[in-house]
Amino acid sequence: MAPAADIDLFAPFERDTILEVRTSKMKTMPGLTIQTGIDKHLRSGKIPVTFLGLDADEHDLTFHGGRDKAIHGYCSSHYEQWRHEFPDAEARFRPGGFGENFVTERMNERNVCIGDIFSVGDDGVLLQVSLPRQPCFKLNHRFQLKNFAPNTYKLSRTGWYYRVLREGTVQAGDEIRLVERKWPKWTIERVQEYLHRTLDNHEMNEELSRIVDMGDESRKAFETRVAKFKAKQRREADGGEDKAAEDWRDYKLVEKKTQTPRIVSFTLEAVRPNPDAAETDLKLGSHVRLKLPNGLLRSYSIVSGNENRFELGVALEERSRGGSAYLHQETKEGDVVQVGRITSDVKPAAAASNHVFIVGGIGITAFLSLMEVYRRINWETTLHYGVRSADEVPFRERLDGLEHAVKLYDGSKGQRMDIGAIFRTLTWNSHVYVCGPRRMLEEAAREAKKCGLSDDDVHFEAFSADTTGDPFEAEVANREGGKVVKVGGEETLLEVLRRCFDDVPSSCEVGNCGTCRVALKSGSVEHRGTALTEEEKSEAMLSCVSRGIGRIVIEI
């Protein structure tokens, strides 16, 4: 075999040799409880090939396997480059490392096209290239390199999938020959350019969505982009989009259900549904702004649903400012409330090997749908959930569905969550999500810092915020010649800006999402909330919770 450095990966080819054939049974990943089929071992002799892949080859069917992903091919010449780029993991970059079934030397993402048809060996096997490989966190875990997986599609070294057109047998040493090329301009590398790197080329998205030989996973991604772009064009034709101006829509309260003595769920349904909204269009961890009939504006986490129909969970606060009290005591099924922005500041940490949730009380509403999806797609997930008593657990059936992933701490039984111990015992490449009262968030922030976790390793969600403080002034440099506004001790900068200007966006209003962010040009700020990184705090502030000191200069 020629050294990898001597191989021109851009050179066209018509035939190559299958150097190795590999398969695996499902195994538990080291340090986790989830199973994987990535650890493939060498096979010898003739191996039966069916429409679902190689004999005795098992898959995590959440993302792998099936007719479009029957067999995974990978170019062994990539491994030398990986070893050079990641010397700390040099020993792990060897054939089979990517969980491939077929190891070849010259075939690669630059000379293999979507839809290519290949014959293999002399037993009649016929394969068709169906998809580029979509990398996931398991590559990070396998090579013990944080955030390694995105490198594979950025550099187009992912490998590709075959569907089986004709069954038979294969073995190492078989020749693989190009029989037909239907889509010569669409190499795997070029498909990845628009799948991962250049997402907003609408002409290319349209063209790729029409490649019938592309597997559903990628083709449907392009179809979705095309549909969203056309929906946006329709909205603009109907009068345009103003991202700053909030669009308030009427929703009917169709179900009001007691979850616990303190928590009630509310299901709201759009009076005029949005025909462009998909069943799963809401981002995970979304929250929504309500304009209540008593004039109050409040934000609440969405625990399930989509843009046209969703469910909220609301706790009756002991010191309610009117929002939770109104919803609990005044609303009834059939009432209409106005709904504004639906936003999410939660970015699923797809590169993490382990997902740990630290939650108190009503904070479960921020992450419940997220955890359900994580479990459904076999991501390692653990919930540490603190409640006053077992009677205070809302959405009990859904939590029961998370099974052994839940560790409940019942305050009435003296059970206390040891947040420090949770952080100290995190497994490698964990991501932490925290939502609860301020004391919980502050303790979690301290412990995360002690353990050396970065801002990217922990996501904080608050469900309330202290916004009071000393009065201050803010000069709005880019409005009305530098208009100066005064912010009283009991009001927020956001509230004052709204009184003066009609285009100040916001959403959660407790410092989680960053929608209300304004540019900080000069002055000192007491930063509150969690939406800004330490670096961002030097040039921005959250107008919903943070407070200036003396006089500051900002831009909206």
Side-chain angles (χ1 to χ4, degrees), residues 23-52:
T23 63
S24 66
K25 296 291 187 180
M26 294 293 287
K27 299 178 182 178
T28 301
M29 294 201 79
L32 303 177
T33 63
I34 59 174
Q35 293 208 316
T36 179
I38 198 172
D39 190 17
K40 300 193 183 299
H41 59 86
L42 282 169
R43 295 287 299 276
S44 59
K46 289 185 176 292
I47 301 159
V49 178
T50 73
F51 292 120
L52 295 179

Side-chain angles (χ1 to χ4, degrees), residues 481-499:
K483 182 179 178 68
V484 176
V485 298
K486 295 184 178 183
V487 183
E490 297 296 321
E491 58 188 354
T492 67
L493 174 59
L494 175 64
E495 291 169 339
V496 174
L497 292 175
R498 277 214 185 107
R499 289 202 297 266

Side-chain angles (χ1 to χ4, degrees), residues 368-521:
L368 183 54
S369 62
L370 194 68
M371 287 184 288
E372 288 175 327
V373 170
Y374 284 9
R375 294 291 292 175
R376 195 156 58 242
I377 61 177
N378 295 328
W379 283 11
E380 188 85 5
T381 307
T382 303
L383 167 63
H384 296 272
Y385 187 28
V387 293
R388 298 178 182 182
S389 71
D391 293 335
E392 291 286 331
V393 178
F395 307 102
R396 169 73 74 170
E397 290 184 4
R398 293 172 64 182
L399 281 170
D400 288 344
L402 298 176
E403 299 175 332
H404 62 274
V406 180
K407 297 182 180 179
L408 188 69
Y409 303 83
D410 186 337
S412 68
K413 296 180 179 179
Q415 299 170 351
R416 185 181 181 278
M417 188 189 304
D418 188 340
I419 293 177
I422 294 171
F423 276 95
R424 289 191 298 273
T425 57
L426 288 173
T427 58
W428 180 82
N429 198 26
S430 289
H431 189 86
V432 184
Y433 310 73
V434 187
C435 185
R438 184 195 294 183
R439 285 182 300 173
M440 174 178 277
L441 269 66
E442 290 173 347
E443 184 178 358
R446 287 194 302 269
E447 296 298 337
K449 189 174 183 179
K450 286 181 187 177
C451 293
L453 272 66
S454 71
D455 290 341
D456 292 335
D457 294 323
V458 187
H459 174 84
F460 293 96
E461 286 266 332
F463 51 72
S464 64
D466 178 12
T467 61
T468 61
D470 294 334
F472 66 97
E473 294 183 349
E475 177 185 335
V476 187
N478 62 336
R479 296 298 170 88
E480 299 181 13
K483 182 179 178 68
V484 176
V485 298
K486 295 184 178 183
V487 183
E490 297 296 321
E491 58 188 354
T492 67
L493 174 59
L494 175 64
E495 291 169 339
V496 174
L497 292 175
R498 277 214 185 107
R499 289 202 297 266
C500 300
F501 312 105
D502 59 3
D503 60 349
V504 185
S506 71
S507 183
C508 75
E509 299 193 11
V510 290
N512 293 330
C513 69
T515 307
C516 68
R517 168 178 173 158
V518 296
L520 177 64
K521 309 309 289 185

Side-chain angles (χ1 to χ4, degrees), residues 23 31 81 111 133 139 141 179 214 224 260 309 311 349 353 373 421 450 467 486 503 519 530:
T23 63
Q81 192 64 31
N111 57 26
R133 158 82 173 273
L139 291 178
H141 201 79
V179 174
M214 187 184 298
T224 298
T260 76
R309 180 187 171 99
E311 182 182 21
S353 299
V373 170
K450 286 181 187 177
T467 61
K486 295 184 178 183
D503 60 349
T530 60

